[in-house]
Amino acid sequence: MNAPEDEVDFGRYWAALVARWWLLVAGLVVGALVGFLVASGSKQVTRASVTVFLGQPLSATGSNPIQTLGTNPSTIRTVIHSEAAIAKAASAAGVDAARFKAGISSQAVAGFVAKLGQTPLVAISVTGNVPGPKLRVIATSLAGSALAAVSGFVDQKIATYKEQIAQDGIELRSIDARFDQVAREVTGKSLSSTDKLALLNLQALAEQRRTNVLSDQIQAKQFLAQAETVEQGHVVGSATAAKTTARSRRNAVAIGALIGLIVAAIAALAWSRRRSDAARS
């Protein structure tokens, strides 16, 4: 029984809005204009931003991605809002943390697919009443704190590869020294043919051992390059700073236009109802 009445009411409301479309347009325009003026009247602040790559840690064989703190973008948000990171950034820039603490934010850069295990780039932004050069120092310091928190595993891998490369270098130099000594003995005239044959066998074994150690060192260097360029996080470019308003003009205009449209719609419906009541009376 109530359905027809509801349909009639909705029809009347729609007719009232259509009849006074100009009021809706006026509300939309006025609301957008008010939002623009409010945003334009906001005080100027400085915003600095820097982009970081969290790195893509791989397994020991260097073939399969693994999950670490660095593969979770929310880790960045947690770290840069920590008291320790904020205090460090404030000390590096020589400013009070209260001047920028509320303006810290982070956002994953669009273009990466998280469900495929790809680690996104993350943009770190800092807004505050701080000169541009100091704000760039703050953004860079926060990025450094974030990378330090997520790179422990990869840093250990890099240290291990460097140690292995250094150890292989020591062994190669030792093998080369023994090889040279054997070569001098073989070319000498004081040894018998049997002794020279034994030394030649030792020389062949030394050559084989050197080949194996050199191959191991080359592989370690390849893994090291991969860890430093792919697995390890790093800052992409330098931090930049620019003046901006405290409120986003685009957001302010959109919100103002929406509010103006809603107010205009309510006014149009109230106007229609008032005229209907007047006509009945």
Side-chain angles (χ1 to χ4, degrees), residues 52 54 69-70 72-89 100-101 104-106 122 124 126 138-152:
V52 297
L54 300 184
L69 284 175
N72 187 351
S74 63
T75 303
I76 291 287
R77 182 172 61 253
T78 301
V79 173
I80 64 176
H81 284 93
S82 67
E83 292 297 331
I86 292 173
K88 181 180 178 182
F100 65 87
K101 183 177 181 179
I104 298 174
S105 63
S106 64
V122 178
I124 297 175
V126 187
I138 292 170
T140 302
S141 176
L142 292 174
S145 296
L147 291 175
V150 303
S151 61

Side-chain angles (χ1 to χ4, degrees), residues 217-232:
Q217 187 185 57
I218 291 174
Q219 184 181 50
K221 287 181 177 180
Q222 292 174 338
F223 281 138
L224 176 62
Q226 178 177 273
E228 290 179 331
T229 59
V230 178
E231 300 184 58
Q232 189 176 49

